[in-house]
């Protein structure tokens, strides 16, 4: 179990990183500036992270863990059938952690990290597919479409634009009988 002080220091560093990321590109963030913002010494930073890129990767992993918890209770069909609940829960995760997560998603300089986040989420969800259908390219396409859509909506829009009605509309599109049968037929290709 990680010491509370370690968690508190890492949270301060991540918060400072996100704050700076909302003001400048990743390439402009220096360890010195990050340490000043977090009010820590450089030696403290290096006890926790190798460099700024390691800090970005760890933030990505934090986001990944939180979103994976939302998908955890569902198998593939459960994801399709409960998509509105999943979408609301993902939105809640990002709303609760808005200042920490949103600069990461919206930073053009972290596009490769965002792409890696999508890839890791897709792999995590694909683990929930029946082993007989895991090699099916259709399943990968469906999961990629869903994950890519969720992350893209978060990257491109502010939460004020994503109300309950919008979430329900998106979920209905994914769950609709016509689309569900199309998705299911893709799974069996």
């Amino acid at each position: 179990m990680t010491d509370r002080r370690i968690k508190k220091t890492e949270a301060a560093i991540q918060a400072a990183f996100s704050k700076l990321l909302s003001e400048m590109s990743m390439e402009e963030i220096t360890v010195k500036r990050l340490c000043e913002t977090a009010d820590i010494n450089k030696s403290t930073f290096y006890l926790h992270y190798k460099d700024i890129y390691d800090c970005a990767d760890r933030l990505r992993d934090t986001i990944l863990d939180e979103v994976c918890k939302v998908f955890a209770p569902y198998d593939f069909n459960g994801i399709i059938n409960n998509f509105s609940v999943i979408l609301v829960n993902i939105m809640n995760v990002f709303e609760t952690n808005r200042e920490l997560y949103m600069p990461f998603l919206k930073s053009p300089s972290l596009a490769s990290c965002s792409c890696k986040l999508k890839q890791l989420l897709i792999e995590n969800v694909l683990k929930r597919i029946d082993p007989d259908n895991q090699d099916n390219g259709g399943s990968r396409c469906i999961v990629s479409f869903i994950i890519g859509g969720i992350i893209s909506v978060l990257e491109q829009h502010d939460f004020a634009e994503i109300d309950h009605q919008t979430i329900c509309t998106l979920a209905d599109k994914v769950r609709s009988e016509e689309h569900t049968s199309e998705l299911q037929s893709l799974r069996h290709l």
Side-chain angles (χ1 to χ4, degrees):
M1 178 173 270
T2 306
D3 185 303
R4 258 187 353 198
R5 292 171 295 172
I6 292 171
K7 287 182 180 180
K8 187 176 178 181
T9 301
E10 288 178 351
I13 293 168
Q14 291 290 314
F17 175 72
S18 286
K19 180 181 185 309
L20 292 173
L21 198 55
S22 67
E23 300 168 0
M24 62 186 69
S25 74
M26 170 107 161
E27 292 76 21
E28 296 172 305
I29 299 174
T30 63
V31 171
K32 179 181 178 187
R33 179 90 184 258
L34 179 66
C35 291
E36 289 169 357
T37 304
D39 196 25
I40 61 169
N41 295 318
K42 284 174 81 171
S43 60
T44 302
F45 174 84
Y46 286 114
L47 282 173
H48 298 272
Y49 303 97
K50 291 182 272 186
D51 55 25
I52 294 293
Y53 296 96
D54 183 37
C55 190
D57 287 346
R58 298 268 290 283
L59 179 55
R60 178 205 61 218
D61 292 344
T62 299
I63 296 169
L64 176 68
D65 290 343
E66 289 299 311
V67 175
C68 284
K69 287 177 190 175
V70 173
F71 283 101
Y74 306 100
D75 64 6
F76 183 80
N77 289 329
I79 290 169
I80 300 298
N81 295 329
N82 297 288
F83 191 67
S84 59
V85 172
I86 291 168
L87 194 52
V88 166
N89 290 339
I90 289 172
M91 294 297 175
N92 287 338
V93 165
F94 281 89
E95 178 64 28
T96 302
N97 300 290
R98 178 192 291 248
E99 291 181 12
L100 188 61
Y101 295 175
M102 295 313 289
F104 176 90
L105 284 182
K106 292 185 177 277
S107 173
S109 60
L110 284 176
S112 64
C113 277
S114 183
C115 185
K116 183 67 173 176
L117 174 66
K118 289 177 197 175
Q119 178 186 357
L120 293 169
L121 278 169
I122 290 164
E123 295 304 320
N124 184 277
V125 172
L126 283 173
K127 290 178 188 174
R128 291 166 170 60
I129 294 176
D130 178 20
D132 295 333
N133 292 324
Q134 277 190 357
D135 293 331
N136 180 338
S139 296
R140 178 171 283 283
C141 288
I142 294 165
V143 172
S144 298
F145 181 77
I146 292 170
I147 298 297
I150 291 169
I151 299 299
S152 291
V153 165
L154 290 168
E155 289 171 340
Q156 300 301 317
H157 298 282
D158 290 322
F159 283 93
E161 300 169 341
I162 307 170
D163 59 8
H164 182 71
Q165 182 60 41
T166 304
I167 290 171
C168 289
T169 301
L170 291 171
D172 287 345
K173 295 294 182 195
V174 169
R175 282 186 308 134
S176 74
E177 288 299 320
E178 180 180 323
H179 290 29
T180 301
S181 63
E182 289 171 12
L183 295 175
Q184 294 299 334
S185 67
L186 279 173
R187 279 189 64 216
H188 299 293
L189 290 178

